[in-house]
Amino acid sequence: MIARISQEQNTHCDKEKMFLVALVDGNLPRRNSFRQQLDFLGYASLAFDSPHDLMIDQFDSFEFGCIIIAPRDDYIHSQIEAAMERYSSPILLIAAKENVPAFSALEKFFSDSSKVDLIHESCSRQELNWRLNFLKRQAANDSVRIDHFSFGKYSFDLKRRAAWVGEERILLKPLEFDLTLKLFQNINSVLTREKLYAQFWGESLCSVKSRKLDVCISNLRKKMRIDADERLVLRSIYGRGYELNSLDP
């Protein structure tokens, strides 16, 4: 469920670049309380019941300045990681009594991350504002983005979302483009099925019966001519996921 941006929030927002906050919390009273605080501080926000809802809606036109999440279960880390990668956004985790078990599971995944911070549900308005201002400055420092990515004869225009093999432009569907780019950016690294399903389909755990990922991999394998490249091999790692390997030394 999504709460749309109000006109009043738009008026308060930075006119040069809107700092949009995604507020992910299934606890409606707490979520409303945080939204009121954000409204008062002049931040536009969109509200979601869960990271799953955030991912499946896929707001391509929005870049979140921050994502505030109240973790609810032990399997949420893959969804949070996927949200971070999709939006390149810092994350504030809301600490509350009922989500202590979820925090225990998250600690080992994000203890070394500079993009994940913690705030208590009873934090003051001043503390919330201080943390958001800090994240806003951090986002501004990270605003320089790479528009192109290439590996050998494969090249990607991230701005126009276009892919080439040599001089030939390859027509990829949006999800195929994102998945192909993900494979090339993580060359020689295994991408787990859990992580890929979380990032591209908004699912915390992939279904054994689901073939969405395998079909997409098969399509991009053919379109990008990967099987015809003697220097690349796209492997299916049984029980884990996929790995794009470079055979060059």
Side-chain angles (χ1 to χ4, degrees):
M1 181 180 295
I2 309 157
R4 299 290 176 184
I5 307 173
S6 67
Q7 173 139 16
E8 181 181 357
Q9 288 173 303
N10 273 324
T11 308
H12 286 297
C13 288
D14 184 351
K15 293 182 180 179
E16 293 183 359
K17 183 177 180 181
M18 180 170 59
F19 189 87
L20 180 63
V21 177
L23 181 57
V24 184
D25 191 355
N27 184 315
L28 186 58
R30 180 173 58 213
R31 192 173 73 198
N32 287 339
S33 175
F34 266 89
R35 290 207 86 194
Q36 289 173 4
Q37 299 285 4
L38 292 169
D39 286 347
F40 183 87
L41 294 171
Y43 291 101
S45 64
L46 287 172
F48 303 85
D49 287 332
S50 69
H52 174 80
D53 292 338
L54 170 66
M55 294 300 295
I56 61 175
D57 279 290
Q58 299 187 2
F59 286 96
D60 291 327
S61 60
F62 291 111
E63 179 67 26
F64 293 111
C66 178
I67 301 176
I68 301 177
I69 300 180
R72 288 191 297 180
D73 58 66
D74 296 345
Y75 300 103
I76 203 172
H77 67 271
S78 60
Q79 293 185 5
I80 293 179
E81 190 175 22
M84 288 174 65
E85 292 188 1
R86 175 172 178 79
Y87 296 106
S88 302
S89 306
I91 285 181
L92 268 180
L93 297 175
I94 299 175
K97 290 182 179 180
E98 74 270 17
N99 61 20
V100 170
F103 271 107
S104 299
L106 288 170
E107 185 177 4
K108 63 180 179 180
F109 292 99
F110 301 118
S111 58
D112 297 328
S113 175
S114 60
K115 295 176 63 177
V116 179
D117 203 352
L118 177 68
I119 195 166
H120 197 270
E121 65 175 344
S122 60
C123 69
S124 67
R125 183 180 298 162
Q126 289 77 10
E127 181 181 358
L128 178 61
N129 190 40
W130 181 87
R131 289 178 183 268
L132 288 174
N133 277 324
F134 174 80
L135 293 173
K136 190 174 182 178
R137 290 193 298 271
Q138 180 177 332
N141 292 334
D142 295 338
S143 61
V144 179
R145 294 170 179 259
I146 298 174
D147 290 335
H148 291 83
F149 177 85
S150 61
F151 185 89
K153 64 181 180 181
Y154 302 91
S155 59
F156 301 85
D157 185 330
L158 278 61
K159 213 167 190 179
R160 293 190 292 167
R161 297 180 58 79
W164 284 266
V165 177
E167 298 297 322
E168 180 186 3
R169 181 169 178 174
I170 307 299
L171 297 179
L172 297 174
K173 296 178 180 178
L175 195 146
E176 292 173 346
F177 177 87
D178 292 334
L179 182 54
T180 305
L181 181 63
K182 182 77 173 178
L183 288 166
F184 276 93
Q185 288 179 329
N186 292 272
I187 200 83
N188 297 325
S189 298
V190 177
L191 298 177
T192 65
R193 296 179 69 87
E194 179 184 19
K195 184 174 181 178
L196 292 173
Y197 269 87
Q199 180 168 358
F200 297 112
W201 287 278
E203 299 177 7
S204 58
L205 292 173
C206 61
S207 169
V208 176
K209 297 180 181 179
S210 176
R211 298 285 298 170
K212 289 182 287 190
L213 173 60
D214 305 290
V215 170
C216 193
I217 288 286
S218 177
N219 290 338
L220 68 86
R221 187 196 295 268
K222 295 174 184 176
K223 291 182 177 181
M224 297 298 292
R225 323 278 197 269
I226 292 177
D227 288 341
D229 192 328
E230 297 180 352
R231 296 181 298 175
L232 284 180
V233 58
L234 180 53
R235 306 179 192 274
S236 172
I237 311 298
Y238 181 76
R240 295 187 65 194
Y242 285 93
E243 181 178 18
L244 182 61
N245 293 131
S246 171
L247 302 182
D248 286 338

